[in-house]
Short mmCIF file of all heavy atoms in Angstrom, two decimals:
data_model
loop_
_atom_site.label_atom_id
_atom_site.label_comp_id
_atom_site.label_asym_id
_atom_site.label_seq_id
_atom_site.Cartn_x
_atom_site.Cartn_y
_atom_site.Cartn_z
N SER A 44 120.97 78.01 -2.58
CA SER A 44 120.43 78.49 -1.32
C SER A 44 120.40 77.36 -0.31
O SER A 44 120.23 76.19 -0.66
CB SER A 44 119.04 79.05 -1.57
OG SER A 44 118.34 79.21 -0.38
N ASN A 45 120.51 77.70 0.94
CA ASN A 45 120.39 76.71 2.01
C ASN A 45 118.96 76.51 2.45
O ASN A 45 118.69 75.68 3.31
CB ASN A 45 121.24 77.13 3.21
CG ASN A 45 122.72 77.02 2.92
OD1 ASN A 45 123.13 76.21 2.09
ND2 ASN A 45 123.51 77.83 3.59
N LEU A 46 118.04 77.29 1.88
CA LEU A 46 116.64 77.15 2.22
C LEU A 46 116.04 75.93 1.54
O LEU A 46 116.35 75.64 0.39
CB LEU A 46 115.86 78.40 1.79
CG LEU A 46 116.22 79.70 2.50
CD1 LEU A 46 115.47 80.86 1.87
CD2 LEU A 46 115.90 79.60 3.98
N PRO A 47 115.17 75.21 2.24
CA PRO A 47 114.52 74.06 1.59
C PRO A 47 113.58 74.52 0.48
O PRO A 47 112.96 75.57 0.57
CB PRO A 47 113.74 73.40 2.72
CG PRO A 47 113.73 74.34 3.85
CD PRO A 47 114.78 75.37 3.62
N VAL A 48 113.50 73.73 -0.57
CA VAL A 48 112.64 74.02 -1.71
C VAL A 48 111.58 72.92 -1.78
O VAL A 48 111.90 71.73 -1.76
CB VAL A 48 113.46 74.04 -3.02
CG1 VAL A 48 112.56 74.23 -4.22
CG2 VAL A 48 114.52 75.12 -2.96
N VAL A 49 110.32 73.35 -1.86
CA VAL A 49 109.23 72.39 -1.98
C VAL A 49 108.41 72.70 -3.22
O VAL A 49 108.36 73.83 -3.69
CB VAL A 49 108.32 72.38 -0.72
CG1 VAL A 49 109.10 71.92 0.49
CG2 VAL A 49 107.70 73.74 -0.46
N VAL A 50 107.77 71.67 -3.77
CA VAL A 50 106.95 71.80 -4.96
C VAL A 50 105.53 71.40 -4.61
O VAL A 50 105.33 70.40 -3.91
CB VAL A 50 107.50 70.92 -6.11
CG1 VAL A 50 106.59 70.96 -7.31
CG2 VAL A 50 108.91 71.36 -6.48
N GLY A 51 104.57 72.15 -5.10
CA GLY A 51 103.19 71.85 -4.74
C GLY A 51 102.19 71.97 -5.86
O GLY A 51 101.05 72.32 -5.63
N PHE A 52 102.59 71.70 -7.08
CA PHE A 52 101.65 71.76 -8.20
C PHE A 52 101.57 70.39 -8.86
O PHE A 52 102.58 69.84 -9.26
CB PHE A 52 102.10 72.80 -9.24
CG PHE A 52 102.07 74.19 -8.71
CD1 PHE A 52 103.24 74.80 -8.29
CD2 PHE A 52 100.88 74.89 -8.62
CE1 PHE A 52 103.22 76.09 -7.79
CE2 PHE A 52 100.86 76.17 -8.12
CZ PHE A 52 102.03 76.78 -7.71
N GLY A 53 100.37 69.83 -8.95
CA GLY A 53 100.18 68.59 -9.67
C GLY A 53 100.60 67.33 -8.94
O GLY A 53 100.79 66.30 -9.57
N ILE A 54 100.73 67.40 -7.62
CA ILE A 54 101.13 66.21 -6.86
C ILE A 54 99.87 65.44 -6.50
O ILE A 54 99.20 65.73 -5.51
CB ILE A 54 101.92 66.60 -5.58
CG1 ILE A 54 103.02 67.60 -5.88
CG2 ILE A 54 102.44 65.35 -4.89
CD1 ILE A 54 104.11 67.09 -6.80
N LYS A 55 99.52 64.45 -7.32
CA LYS A 55 98.30 63.66 -7.11
C LYS A 55 98.56 62.17 -7.07
O LYS A 55 97.69 61.42 -6.66
CB LYS A 55 97.28 63.94 -8.21
CG LYS A 55 96.73 65.33 -8.22
CD LYS A 55 95.67 65.47 -9.29
CE LYS A 55 95.10 66.87 -9.26
NZ LYS A 55 93.96 67.02 -10.16
N HIS A 56 99.73 61.75 -7.53
CA HIS A 56 100.03 60.33 -7.62
C HIS A 56 101.43 60.06 -7.07
O HIS A 56 102.31 60.92 -7.14
CB HIS A 56 99.97 59.86 -9.08
CG HIS A 56 98.68 60.19 -9.75
ND1 HIS A 56 97.52 59.53 -9.48
CD2 HIS A 56 98.37 61.15 -10.66
CE1 HIS A 56 96.54 60.05 -10.20
NE2 HIS A 56 97.03 61.04 -10.93
N LYS A 57 101.62 58.86 -6.57
CA LYS A 57 102.91 58.53 -5.97
C LYS A 57 104.05 58.61 -6.97
O LYS A 57 105.16 58.98 -6.62
CB LYS A 57 102.88 57.17 -5.28
CG LYS A 57 102.93 55.97 -6.17
CD LYS A 57 102.95 54.70 -5.34
CE LYS A 57 103.54 53.56 -6.11
NZ LYS A 57 103.76 52.38 -5.27
N GLU A 58 103.78 58.30 -8.23
CA GLU A 58 104.82 58.36 -9.25
C GLU A 58 105.31 59.80 -9.46
O GLU A 58 106.51 60.05 -9.60
CB GLU A 58 104.32 57.78 -10.58
CG GLU A 58 103.96 56.32 -10.53
CD GLU A 58 102.59 56.02 -9.95
OE1 GLU A 58 101.77 56.95 -9.77
OE2 GLU A 58 102.32 54.84 -9.67
N VAL A 59 104.37 60.73 -9.45
CA VAL A 59 104.72 62.15 -9.61
C VAL A 59 105.51 62.63 -8.39
O VAL A 59 106.52 63.31 -8.53
CB VAL A 59 103.46 63.01 -9.82
CG1 VAL A 59 103.80 64.49 -9.83
CG2 VAL A 59 102.75 62.62 -11.11
N ALA A 60 105.04 62.26 -7.20
CA ALA A 60 105.75 62.66 -5.97
C ALA A 60 107.17 62.13 -5.98
O ALA A 60 108.12 62.84 -5.65
CB ALA A 60 104.99 62.15 -4.74
N GLY A 61 107.34 60.88 -6.40
CA GLY A 61 108.67 60.29 -6.45
C GLY A 61 109.58 60.96 -7.46
O GLY A 61 110.74 61.26 -7.17
N LYS A 62 109.05 61.25 -8.64
CA LYS A 62 109.87 61.89 -9.68
C LYS A 62 110.26 63.30 -9.29
O LYS A 62 111.41 63.71 -9.46
CB LYS A 62 109.11 61.91 -11.01
CG LYS A 62 109.05 60.57 -11.67
CD LYS A 62 108.29 60.63 -12.98
CE LYS A 62 108.16 59.25 -13.59
NZ LYS A 62 107.36 59.29 -14.82
N ILE A 63 109.32 64.05 -8.77
CA ILE A 63 109.62 65.46 -8.45
C ILE A 63 110.53 65.57 -7.24
O ILE A 63 111.26 66.54 -7.09
CB ILE A 63 108.31 66.26 -8.25
CG1 ILE A 63 108.55 67.75 -8.44
CG2 ILE A 63 107.69 66.02 -6.90
CD1 ILE A 63 108.79 68.17 -9.84
N SER A 64 110.55 64.56 -6.39
CA SER A 64 111.36 64.64 -5.17
C SER A 64 112.86 64.69 -5.47
O SER A 64 113.63 65.13 -4.62
CB SER A 64 111.05 63.46 -4.24
OG SER A 64 111.53 62.25 -4.78
N SER A 65 113.26 64.28 -6.65
CA SER A 65 114.68 64.36 -7.00
C SER A 65 115.12 65.80 -7.27
O SER A 65 116.30 66.09 -7.31
CB SER A 65 114.99 63.48 -8.21
OG SER A 65 114.35 63.96 -9.36
N PHE A 66 114.15 66.71 -7.44
CA PHE A 66 114.45 68.12 -7.73
C PHE A 66 114.17 69.05 -6.56
O PHE A 66 114.40 70.25 -6.68
CB PHE A 66 113.61 68.60 -8.92
CG PHE A 66 113.84 67.80 -10.16
CD1 PHE A 66 112.92 66.86 -10.57
CD2 PHE A 66 114.98 68.00 -10.91
CE1 PHE A 66 113.12 66.12 -11.72
CE2 PHE A 66 115.20 67.26 -12.07
CZ PHE A 66 114.26 66.32 -12.47
N CYS A 67 113.64 68.51 -5.45
CA CYS A 67 113.25 69.39 -4.35
C CYS A 67 113.44 68.68 -3.01
O CYS A 67 113.77 67.50 -2.96
CB CYS A 67 111.81 69.84 -4.53
SG CYS A 67 110.61 68.50 -4.52
N ASP A 68 113.18 69.43 -1.96
CA ASP A 68 113.33 68.90 -0.60
C ASP A 68 112.02 68.34 -0.05
O ASP A 68 112.03 67.66 0.98
CB ASP A 68 113.85 70.00 0.32
CG ASP A 68 115.20 70.51 -0.12
OD1 ASP A 68 116.13 69.69 -0.24
OD2 ASP A 68 115.34 71.72 -0.35
N GLY A 69 110.92 68.64 -0.68
CA GLY A 69 109.64 68.16 -0.21
C GLY A 69 108.54 68.49 -1.18
O GLY A 69 108.74 69.22 -2.16
N VAL A 70 107.37 67.92 -0.93
CA VAL A 70 106.19 68.19 -1.76
C VAL A 70 105.07 68.71 -0.88
O VAL A 70 104.97 68.37 0.29
CB VAL A 70 105.73 66.94 -2.55
CG1 VAL A 70 106.80 66.49 -3.53
CG2 VAL A 70 105.33 65.81 -1.64
N VAL A 71 104.24 69.55 -1.47
CA VAL A 71 103.07 70.10 -0.79
C VAL A 71 101.84 69.60 -1.55
O VAL A 71 101.78 69.72 -2.77
CB VAL A 71 103.09 71.65 -0.80
CG1 VAL A 71 101.84 72.21 -0.17
CG2 VAL A 71 104.34 72.15 -0.10
N VAL A 72 100.90 69.06 -0.83
CA VAL A 72 99.68 68.55 -1.46
C VAL A 72 98.49 69.30 -0.87
O VAL A 72 98.33 69.33 0.34
CB VAL A 72 99.53 67.03 -1.22
CG1 VAL A 72 98.27 66.51 -1.89
CG2 VAL A 72 100.75 66.30 -1.73
N GLY A 73 97.71 69.91 -1.71
CA GLY A 73 96.55 70.67 -1.24
C GLY A 73 95.27 70.18 -1.88
O GLY A 73 94.47 69.47 -1.27
N SER A 74 95.06 70.54 -3.14
CA SER A 74 93.78 70.26 -3.80
C SER A 74 93.52 68.76 -3.93
O SER A 74 92.36 68.33 -3.91
CB SER A 74 93.71 70.94 -5.16
OG SER A 74 94.77 70.51 -5.99
N ALA A 75 94.55 67.96 -4.04
CA ALA A 75 94.34 66.51 -4.13
C ALA A 75 93.78 65.96 -2.83
O ALA A 75 92.96 65.04 -2.84
CB ALA A 75 95.64 65.80 -4.50
N ILE A 76 94.18 66.53 -1.69
CA ILE A 76 93.61 66.11 -0.41
C ILE A 76 92.18 66.61 -0.26
O ILE A 76 91.31 65.88 0.22
CB ILE A 76 94.50 66.56 0.77
CG1 ILE A 76 95.80 65.74 0.76
CG2 ILE A 76 93.77 66.40 2.10
CD1 ILE A 76 96.79 66.09 1.83
N VAL A 77 91.91 67.82 -0.72
CA VAL A 77 90.54 68.33 -0.70
C VAL A 77 89.64 67.44 -1.55
O VAL A 77 88.53 67.10 -1.15
CB VAL A 77 90.49 69.80 -1.19
CG1 VAL A 77 89.06 70.27 -1.37
CG2 VAL A 77 91.25 70.70 -0.23
N GLU A 78 90.13 67.02 -2.70
CA GLU A 78 89.37 66.11 -3.57
C GLU A 78 89.15 64.77 -2.88
O GLU A 78 88.07 64.19 -2.96
CB GLU A 78 90.14 65.91 -4.88
CG GLU A 78 89.42 65.08 -5.90
CD GLU A 78 90.20 64.98 -7.20
OE1 GLU A 78 90.78 65.99 -7.64
OE2 GLU A 78 90.24 63.88 -7.76
N CYS A 79 90.16 64.29 -2.19
CA CYS A 79 90.06 63.04 -1.44
C CYS A 79 88.96 63.15 -0.37
O CYS A 79 88.16 62.24 -0.18
CB CYS A 79 91.42 62.73 -0.82
SG CYS A 79 91.52 61.17 0.04
N ILE A 80 88.93 64.27 0.33
CA ILE A 80 87.91 64.51 1.36
C ILE A 80 86.53 64.54 0.72
O ILE A 80 85.59 63.93 1.22
CB ILE A 80 88.21 65.81 2.13
CG1 ILE A 80 89.47 65.65 2.96
CG2 ILE A 80 87.02 66.22 3.00
CD1 ILE A 80 90.02 66.94 3.53
N ALA A 81 86.40 65.24 -0.39
CA ALA A 81 85.11 65.37 -1.07
C ALA A 81 84.59 64.02 -1.55
O ALA A 81 83.38 63.79 -1.58
CB ALA A 81 85.23 66.33 -2.25
N ASN A 82 85.50 63.11 -1.89
CA ASN A 82 85.09 61.80 -2.41
C ASN A 82 84.99 60.73 -1.33
O ASN A 82 84.68 59.58 -1.64
CB ASN A 82 86.08 61.33 -3.48
CG ASN A 82 86.03 62.19 -4.71
OD1 ASN A 82 85.00 62.77 -5.04
ND2 ASN A 82 87.15 62.31 -5.40
N SER A 83 85.22 61.10 -0.07
CA SER A 83 85.17 60.11 1.01
C SER A 83 83.73 59.84 1.42
O SER A 83 82.80 60.49 0.94
CB SER A 83 85.99 60.58 2.21
OG SER A 83 85.35 61.68 2.82
N SER A 84 83.55 58.93 2.34
CA SER A 84 82.22 58.48 2.74
C SER A 84 81.41 59.55 3.47
O SER A 84 80.21 59.40 3.62
CB SER A 84 82.34 57.25 3.64
OG SER A 84 82.91 57.61 4.89
N GLY A 85 82.04 60.59 3.95
CA GLY A 85 81.31 61.64 4.64
C GLY A 85 81.42 61.57 6.16
O GLY A 85 81.33 62.58 6.82
N SER A 86 81.61 60.39 6.70
CA SER A 86 81.80 60.28 8.15
C SER A 86 83.21 60.75 8.49
O SER A 86 84.12 60.70 7.67
CB SER A 86 81.60 58.84 8.63
OG SER A 86 82.68 58.02 8.22
N LEU A 87 83.38 61.20 9.71
CA LEU A 87 84.70 61.67 10.13
C LEU A 87 85.74 60.57 10.01
O LEU A 87 86.85 60.80 9.53
CB LEU A 87 84.63 62.20 11.57
CG LEU A 87 85.92 62.80 12.11
CD1 LEU A 87 86.42 63.94 11.24
CD2 LEU A 87 85.71 63.28 13.54
N MET A 88 85.40 59.36 10.40
CA MET A 88 86.33 58.24 10.30
C MET A 88 86.61 57.90 8.84
O MET A 88 87.74 57.58 8.49
CB MET A 88 85.78 57.01 11.03
CG MET A 88 86.79 55.88 11.14
SD MET A 88 88.34 56.34 11.97
CE MET A 88 87.79 56.46 13.64
N GLY A 89 85.60 58.00 7.99
CA GLY A 89 85.80 57.75 6.57
C GLY A 89 86.74 58.75 5.94
O GLY A 89 87.61 58.40 5.14
N VAL A 90 86.58 60.02 6.32
CA VAL A 90 87.47 61.08 5.82
C VAL A 90 88.89 60.82 6.29
O VAL A 90 89.85 60.88 5.51
CB VAL A 90 86.98 62.47 6.27
CG1 VAL A 90 88.01 63.53 5.98
CG2 VAL A 90 85.66 62.82 5.60
N LYS A 91 89.03 60.54 7.58
CA LYS A 91 90.36 60.28 8.15
C LYS A 91 91.04 59.12 7.45
O LYS A 91 92.21 59.21 7.06
CB LYS A 91 90.23 59.98 9.64
CG LYS A 91 91.54 59.67 10.30
CD LYS A 91 91.33 59.30 11.77
CE LYS A 91 92.63 58.83 12.35
NZ LYS A 91 92.62 57.47 12.79
N ASN A 92 90.33 58.03 7.26
CA ASN A 92 90.91 56.86 6.61
C ASN A 92 91.26 57.12 5.15
O ASN A 92 92.31 56.68 4.66
CB ASN A 92 89.96 55.67 6.71
CG ASN A 92 89.84 55.15 8.13
OD1 ASN A 92 90.70 55.38 8.97
ND2 ASN A 92 88.74 54.46 8.40
N SER A 93 90.42 57.85 4.47
CA SER A 93 90.66 58.17 3.07
C SER A 93 91.91 59.04 2.90
O SER A 93 92.76 58.76 2.06
CB SER A 93 89.43 58.88 2.49
OG SER A 93 89.60 59.18 1.14
N VAL A 94 92.02 60.07 3.71
CA VAL A 94 93.18 60.97 3.63
C VAL A 94 94.45 60.23 4.06
O VAL A 94 95.50 60.35 3.40
CB VAL A 94 92.96 62.24 4.47
CG1 VAL A 94 94.24 63.06 4.58
CG2 VAL A 94 91.85 63.09 3.87
N ALA A 95 94.37 59.44 5.13
CA ALA A 95 95.54 58.70 5.60
C ALA A 95 96.03 57.73 4.53
O ALA A 95 97.24 57.60 4.30
CB ALA A 95 95.21 57.95 6.89
N SER A 96 95.13 57.06 3.87
CA SER A 96 95.50 56.12 2.81
C SER A 96 96.14 56.86 1.63
O SER A 96 97.16 56.40 1.08
CB SER A 96 94.25 55.36 2.34
OG SER A 96 94.55 54.51 1.28
N PHE A 97 95.57 57.99 1.25
CA PHE A 97 96.11 58.79 0.15
C PHE A 97 97.52 59.28 0.47
O PHE A 97 98.44 59.16 -0.35
CB PHE A 97 95.18 59.97 -0.14
CG PHE A 97 95.70 60.90 -1.19
CD1 PHE A 97 95.73 60.52 -2.52
CD2 PHE A 97 96.17 62.16 -0.86
CE1 PHE A 97 96.22 61.37 -3.51
CE2 PHE A 97 96.66 63.02 -1.82
CZ PHE A 97 96.67 62.63 -3.14
N VAL A 98 97.72 59.82 1.67
CA VAL A 98 99.03 60.33 2.06
C VAL A 98 100.05 59.19 2.15
O VAL A 98 101.20 59.35 1.74
CB VAL A 98 98.93 61.12 3.39
CG1 VAL A 98 100.30 61.46 3.94
CG2 VAL A 98 98.10 62.38 3.19
N ALA A 99 99.63 58.04 2.66
CA ALA A 99 100.54 56.89 2.73
C ALA A 99 100.99 56.46 1.34
O ALA A 99 102.15 56.10 1.13
CB ALA A 99 99.87 55.73 3.47
N GLU A 100 100.08 56.51 0.38
CA GLU A 100 100.41 56.16 -1.00
C GLU A 100 101.44 57.14 -1.57
O GLU A 100 102.41 56.73 -2.20
CB GLU A 100 99.15 56.13 -1.86
CG GLU A 100 99.37 55.77 -3.29
CD GLU A 100 99.70 54.31 -3.53
OE1 GLU A 100 99.63 53.49 -2.59
OE2 GLU A 100 100.06 53.97 -4.67
N LEU A 101 101.21 58.44 -1.35
CA LEU A 101 102.17 59.44 -1.81
C LEU A 101 103.52 59.23 -1.14
O LEU A 101 104.58 59.30 -1.79
CB LEU A 101 101.69 60.85 -1.53
CG LEU A 101 100.53 61.38 -2.36
CD1 LEU A 101 100.19 62.79 -1.93
CD2 LEU A 101 100.84 61.34 -3.84
N ARG A 102 103.50 58.96 0.15
CA ARG A 102 104.75 58.75 0.90
C ARG A 102 105.52 57.55 0.34
O ARG A 102 106.75 57.59 0.27
CB ARG A 102 104.43 58.55 2.39
CG ARG A 102 105.63 58.30 3.25
CD ARG A 102 106.56 59.49 3.17
NE ARG A 102 107.90 59.13 3.53
CZ ARG A 102 108.66 59.84 4.33
NH1 ARG A 102 108.21 60.95 4.87
NH2 ARG A 102 109.87 59.45 4.60
N SER A 103 104.81 56.51 -0.05
CA SER A 103 105.50 55.35 -0.61
C SER A 103 106.23 55.73 -1.89
O SER A 103 107.32 55.21 -2.17
CB SER A 103 104.52 54.19 -0.85
OG SER A 103 103.68 54.45 -1.96
N GLY A 104 105.67 56.64 -2.67
CA GLY A 104 106.37 57.11 -3.87
C GLY A 104 107.63 57.86 -3.54
O GLY A 104 108.65 57.72 -4.23
N LEU A 105 107.59 58.65 -2.47
CA LEU A 105 108.79 59.37 -2.04
C LEU A 105 109.85 58.40 -1.52
O LEU A 105 111.02 58.53 -1.83
CB LEU A 105 108.43 60.38 -0.94
CG LEU A 105 107.50 61.52 -1.35
CD1 LEU A 105 107.08 62.31 -0.12
CD2 LEU A 105 108.16 62.42 -2.37
N ASP A 106 109.41 57.42 -0.74
CA ASP A 106 110.35 56.45 -0.17
C ASP A 106 111.00 55.60 -1.26
O ASP A 106 112.19 55.29 -1.17
CB ASP A 106 109.64 55.56 0.85
CG ASP A 106 109.23 56.31 2.10
OD1 ASP A 106 109.79 57.39 2.37
OD2 ASP A 106 108.34 55.81 2.82
N GLU A 107 110.25 55.23 -2.27
CA GLU A 107 110.76 54.41 -3.36
C GLU A 107 111.78 55.19 -4.20
O GLU A 107 112.67 54.59 -4.80
CB GLU A 107 109.63 53.91 -4.24
CG GLU A 107 108.74 52.89 -3.56
CD GLU A 107 107.48 52.58 -4.33
OE1 GLU A 107 107.34 53.03 -5.49
OE2 GLU A 107 106.60 51.88 -3.77
N ALA A 108 111.64 56.51 -4.22
CA ALA A 108 112.53 57.33 -5.05
C ALA A 108 113.89 57.56 -4.39
O ALA A 108 114.83 57.96 -5.05
CB ALA A 108 111.88 58.68 -5.33
N VAL A 109 113.99 57.31 -3.11
CA VAL A 109 115.24 57.58 -2.39
C VAL A 109 116.30 56.59 -2.73
O VAL A 109 116.19 55.49 -3.01
CB VAL A 109 115.00 57.61 -0.87
CG1 VAL A 109 116.29 57.73 -0.10
CG2 VAL A 109 114.06 58.72 -0.52
#
């Protein structure tokens, strides 16, 4: 198919994101970000920084896999 394929189950670590990226066009992260928010400091800036750091870590796994 010419449609992009994304995977969104169990993407919690950069190693998993990197490995799965060889089989798909992208990854979807949901519950891991919700968990990240729940474990953040509670302030809006703390939540933003926590999520940004988590997403950057996942992105590094994707970039390393290319």
Side-chain angles (χ1 to χ4, degrees):
S44 164
N45 290 333
L46 295 174
V48 175
V49 296
V50 175
F52 295 100
I54 312 296
K55 293 184 179 187
H56 306 286
K57 77 177 202 171
E58 296 81 11
V59 174
K62 286 180 184 177
I63 202 72
S64 70
S65 66
F66 302 103
C67 62
D68 299 304
V70 297
V71 177
V72 180
S74 58
I76 290 178
V77 171
E78 185 177 318
C79 184
I80 292 168
N82 293 332
S83 69
S84 69
S86 72
L87 183 57
M88 189 58 72
V90 169
K91 178 183 173 243
N92 291 339
S93 181
V94 170
S96 177
F97 176 72
V98 171
E100 180 73 7
L101 289 180
R102 179 61 203 225
S103 73
L105 295 172
D106 291 340
E107 291 169 9
V109 173

